[in-house]
Amino acid sequence: MSRQKELVDAIAALPGVHTEPHRFGGVEFKVGTREIGHVHGDRMVDIPFTVVIRAQLVAEKRASVHHLLPESGWLSYYMNADQDLAGAQWLLRFSYLRTLGQLRKRGLADPASDAVNISAELDQLGASSELRTLLSGVQTEEAA
């Protein structure tokens, strides 16, 4: 099975996530109308965050700045080997939880994801205290 197929299967299984073709090729993951990231083939994943969250994820060596938009909040993650699939799943789950928090804060949560306990999921991911603080402090910022 291709890395893209494995990633799509895993992320599309999260409550409230749906997929659609990405405008530059690949598969886009969305919660409602909000993109949580997209995958290009079997090698690269791009994910939107705020500049501050992206900087922390890069500092934690979880991803790289975006290959075309390095000053933005977007990041890129490269799946050079099968074991890199887990890192891509981690980042997309983190983006998913951030998006759920934003939507809930605005009263726009999808009923399909109401049962998701964001704090418990962040525990399961082992998210750093720095990332947790950033999630609580900038939930309404958009990716630049």
Side-chain angles (χ1 to χ4, degrees):
M1 181 182 303
S2 74
R3 288 182 206 133
Q4 182 181 36
K5 171 92 170 96
E6 285 187 63
L7 189 60
V8 169
D9 289 350
I11 302 306
L14 295 172
V17 173
H18 66 277
T19 63
E20 55 188 58
H22 183 64
R23 65 184 176 186
F24 298 122
V27 178
E28 189 169 306
F29 305 100
K30 287 187 158 185
V31 176
T33 60
R34 302 281 310 269
E35 180 182 354
I36 62 169
H38 56 268
V39 59
H40 297 285
D42 285 339
R43 189 163 183 275
M44 185 173 59
V45 178
D46 293 324
I47 305 171
F49 288 104
T50 64
V51 172
V52 179
I53 292 173
R54 188 261 304 145
Q56 182 62 37
L57 289 165
V58 170
E60 291 182 13
K61 299 188 182 342
R62 291 196 176 273
S64 303
V65 296
H66 191 269
H67 62 287
L68 296 175
L69 305 168
E71 301 300 319
S72 74
W74 282 86
L75 59 75
S76 292
Y77 180 83
Y78 298 94
M79 298 183 291
N80 296 315
D82 288 344
Q83 62 265 27
D84 295 331
L85 183 62
Q89 289 176 347
W90 191 99
L91 288 163
L92 286 163
R93 281 184 63 206
F94 186 74
S95 178
Y96 166 74
L97 296 171
R98 175 180 172 265
T99 300
L100 287 184
Q102 291 174 321
L103 293 173
R104 287 178 183 175
K105 189 173 185 176
R106 295 178 183 155
L108 302 172
D110 181 330
S113 61
D114 282 346
V116 175
N117 181 323
I118 295 173
S119 182
E121 291 285 328
L122 289 170
D123 288 344
Q124 186 179 21
L125 285 178
S128 68
S129 59
E130 292 84 2
L131 286 172
R132 287 172 168 270
T133 298
L134 290 172
L135 279 190
S136 65
V138 294
Q139 283 191 351
T140 59
E141 264 187 61
E142 300 296 325

